[in-house]
Amino acid sequence: MSKIRVYELAKMLEMSNKDLMEVLEDLGVEAKSHMSSLDVDTAQMVEDSVKAKDKKNSTEEDSSSDRPSIKVSKGSSVKELAEIIDVPASDAVKALINKGMMIPASAQVDDSVLSVLSEVYELDLEWSDDSPEVVEDAPLKTFKKPILRGENLKPRAPIVTVMGHVDHGKTTLLDTIRNTNITAREAGGITQHIGASRVHHEGKDIVFLDTPGHAAFTSMRARGAQCTDIAILVVAADDGVMPQTMEAISHAKAAGVPIIVAVNKMDKPAANPDRVKQQLSDHGLIPEDWGGDTIMVHVSAKSGENIDQLLEMILLVAEMEELKADPTVSPEGVVIEAELDKGKGAVATVLVQQGTLKKGDIILMESSWGKIRAMINASGKQLKSAGPSTAVEILGLSDVPQPGERFIKVDAEKEARDSISAKDQKRREVANQMSPRMTLEELYSKM
Ligand code: GDP
Ligand code: MG
């Protein structure tokens, strides 16, 4: 039976953990903390209840809105609705995907589809009164993070992001981990940089994202994407908690991601780990040996001291999180980084979150699509397929996507191309009306 943690649900519903805990209490759902698990049916029930409340509030608030009002018959499919509002069906499907709703054009419209499309197309979509009640519930999921879809859930490697104040040793830590755990076992010893690396420890894999933690969290979160399972907070023992340390803590907490603290630079004479622990305790991270539940490991990224122990703790937390994914469902995931390469064209490093991505698959993102011409892993090896928790560089994209954009597999090239060209059309229209001082952000907000 699939489980969803309270914090994950909070994230999907764009609520704070605290607010959701209150809702759970009101609904009589038992949950000890934001780390508690709910089964999928309960989560769906909570989601429906929150959505219903939101909807009520918003209709109360903007009853005076002057958006064009359109009546929709219950039982309409997304495709039929798209026809009514005169947009390509693929565009509507795309808009839903961008909101984290993986819904085919043939699926029945429900309340959440109606509210999302109302917002995207600035319309007032309402159910028409005379339409028959729909008995059958459309099996729609609005989860932003693809969690536990499918029947064949298998354990997957944890995705780890390293965060911390500048100069506290993030890059050195990643390098040390990589050098002792990858290069040693690969011929040539040179690993290609693809924005993520997979290390092997005691028979298990851990995937480290190279993106500095803040960027990873902010650009991903701005798009509602979430790809980190565990955050490593690096704090230099000779410097202590600094502004970006606190920022990192709040990012990880907001995302509900467990934090492991690496108290770094322990080789330095000025190292004062107790002071670090005291400061972290003041920010709610209480070390285990002080009766709290935050794992803290004393390390030296420079000398390699205790790095093994840090990796072991990552695997331990990963095990507690019961990270799983189904390799057999349709592949989806998130863009970690992307660039325009002179020789290769648009290249993106994507993280496959579930399903198995294959060479030749057609994938669709927010601003790009493509038939995968080649997939390359961190060691520069060409892959034919990439399962859950695998980061791969992909070639064959129409455009350079942004980090944080989600990708899904689509069946036909036409579907992908139509969706992107509808978007391009819109972009050109917006560009024509653009005032000279409009920022890129404003431009995107109009799309
Ligand atoms: P970042 O900004 O967090 O990525 O920090 P860096 O990894 O670039 O490290 C900043 C400086 O601290 C560099 O000069 C590193 O050599 C040094 N450094 C990092 N880790 C350690 C450590 O464990 N011990 C000592 N003595 N120096 C370290
Ligand atoms: Mg660095």
Side-chain angles (χ1 to χ4, degrees):
M1 186 63 177
S2 304
K3 296 273 190 194
I4 293 163
R5 294 202 191 258
V6 171
Y7 70 77
E8 289 172 324
L9 185 61
K11 207 179 324 152
M12 289 161 207
L13 297 172
E14 296 176 334
M15 299 173 75
S16 70
N17 290 331
K18 191 166 154 283
D19 287 348
L20 182 56
M21 289 299 290
E22 277 168 19
V23 171
L24 293 179
E25 204 180 324
D26 287 347
L27 293 170
V29 175
E30 222 175 283
K32 282 207 185 71
S33 75
H34 67 283
M35 294 297 286
S36 302
S37 298
L38 305 175
D39 62 49
V40 166
D41 288 344
T42 311
Q44 190 68 58
M45 184 273 283
V46 173
E47 180 179 357
D48 291 346
S49 145
V50 170
K51 289 256 163 70
K53 209 180 269 171
D54 277 358
K55 194 160 174 257
K56 194 156 156 273
N57 289 343
S58 66
T59 41
E60 274 163 16
E61 276 163 25
D62 54 39
S63 52
S64 63
S65 96
D66 49 5
R67 295 169 166 193
S69 166
I70 294 175
K71 299 280 185 201
V72 182
S73 298
K74 287 197 173 158
S76 303
S77 66
V78 173
K79 186 161 178 277
E80 286 160 347
L81 175 56
E83 263 163 38
I84 297 171
I85 61 177
D86 200 22
V87 298
S90 54
D91 200 29
V93 168
K94 198 61 222 317
L96 293 167
I97 291 167
N98 290 343
K99 298 287 174 185
M101 298 164 71
M102 303 291 171
I103 294 167
S106 58
Q108 251 175 33
V109 171
D110 72 351
D111 287 350
S112 48
V113 170
L114 215 58
S115 78
V116 165
L117 294 182
S118 293
E119 197 169 301
V120 171
Y121 297 108
E122 296 180 355
L123 300 167
D124 239 356
L125 297 173
E126 289 166 2
W127 295 119
S128 61
D129 298 330
D130 54 354
S131 60
E133 276 299 317
V134 181
V135 214
E136 186 194 349
D137 253 9
L140 303 180
K141 287 274 174 272
T142 57
F143 299 148
K144 295 208 159 174
K145 182 181 169 190
I147 9 169
L148 306 189
R149 180 160 62 81
E151 308 277 300
N152 299 303
L153 295 172
K154 299 272 185 313
R156 60 171 179 84
I159 312 297
V160 178
T161 298
V162 177
M163 315 176 82
H165 196 72
V166 64
D167 281 346
H168 279 199
K170 299 179 292 293
T171 304
T172 311
L173 181 69
L174 275 170
D175 284 348
T176 303
I177 290 172
R178 258 196 294 262
N179 290 335
T180 46
N181 291 276
I182 304 184
T183 33
R185 64 187 175 89
E186 266 157 38
I190 298 160
T191 51
Q192 186 185 333
H193 178 86
I194 68 156
S197 43
R198 197 175 189 91
V199 311
H200 206 64
H201 186 73
E202 293 182 345
K204 296 206 168 107
D205 282 355
I206 305 171
V207 176
F208 284 90
L209 297 185
D210 287 348
T211 340
H214 303 271
F217 274 86
T218 44
S219 69
M220 301 275 166
R221 257 183 70 208
R223 285 162 196 278
Q226 173 64 57
C227 62
T228 298
D229 299 311
I230 299 171
I232 304 298
L233 179 65
V234 179
V235 188
D238 62 338
D239 200 25
V241 169
M242 298 299 275
Q244 285 165 283
T245 316
M246 294 189 273
E247 233 176 87
I249 295 172
S250 57
H251 280 310
K253 277 193 179 164
V257 171
I259 298 172
I260 297 175
V261 178
V263 183
N264 191 33
K265 307 202 185 183
M266 286 300 290
D267 59 292
K268 284 193 151 184
N272 186 350
D274 278 345
R275 183 169 143 255
V276 173
K277 286 181 179 177
Q278 184 57 60
Q279 292 171 328
L280 288 172
S281 297
D282 293 343
H283 289 95
L285 296 182
I286 303 168
E288 283 184 307
D289 48 345
W290 291 8
D293 56 7
T294 304
I295 298 174
M296 302 197 183
V297 187
H298 293 184
V299 301
S300 166
K302 203 171 188 177
S303 75
E305 179 196 333
N306 271 349
I307 298 299
D308 273 5
Q309 204 193 328
L310 179 63
L311 296 175
E312 222 167 288
M313 290 303 140
I314 293 171
L315 290 174
L316 183 81
V317 172
E319 211 174 293
M320 293 194 302
E321 293 282 299
E322 294 180 61
L323 305 170
K324 288 188 177 142
D326 185 343
T328 65
V329 297
S330 181
E332 62 179 283
V334 64
V335 175
I336 298 173
E337 53 179 45
E339 59 171 15
L340 191 62
D341 182 285
K342 273 203 193 103
K344 298 187 269 190
V347 291
T349 300
V350 300
L351 176 71
V352 180
Q353 293 178 305
Q354 56 187 346
T356 299
L357 191 62
K358 298 195 176 77
K359 187 177 163 183
D361 279 353
I362 299 160
I363 61 168
L364 176 60
M365 290 164 277
E366 228 167 288
S367 55
S368 169
W369 72 278
K371 182 168 176 148
I372 300 176
R373 202 165 69 219
M375 286 201 293
I376 300 149
N377 74 1
S379 331
K381 199 177 141 210
Q382 295 246 4
L383 300 182
K384 286 220 168 72
S385 68
S389 286
T390 310
V392 281
E393 184 179 88
I394 54 174
L395 272 59
L397 298 177
S398 66
D399 261 304
V400 182
Q402 295 290 313
E405 283 189 26
R406 299 202 58 79
F407 75 81
I408 57 163
K409 182 190 164 185
V410 290
D411 292 329
E413 234 168 84
K414 189 171 180 309
E415 196 181 330
R417 197 181 289 132
D418 286 355
S419 164
I420 296 297
S421 64
K423 194 139 206 164
D424 281 349
Q425 177 69 31
K426 184 85 199 278
R427 190 178 300 156
R428 274 192 296 274
E429 280 166 18
V430 173
N432 285 340
Q433 310 159 357
M434 209 169 105
S435 72
R437 298 198 47 206
M438 191 184 274
T439 65
L440 208 57
E441 204 169 333
E442 285 166 328
L443 172 61
Y444 276 92
S445 73
K446 288 205 186 296
M447 297 180 8

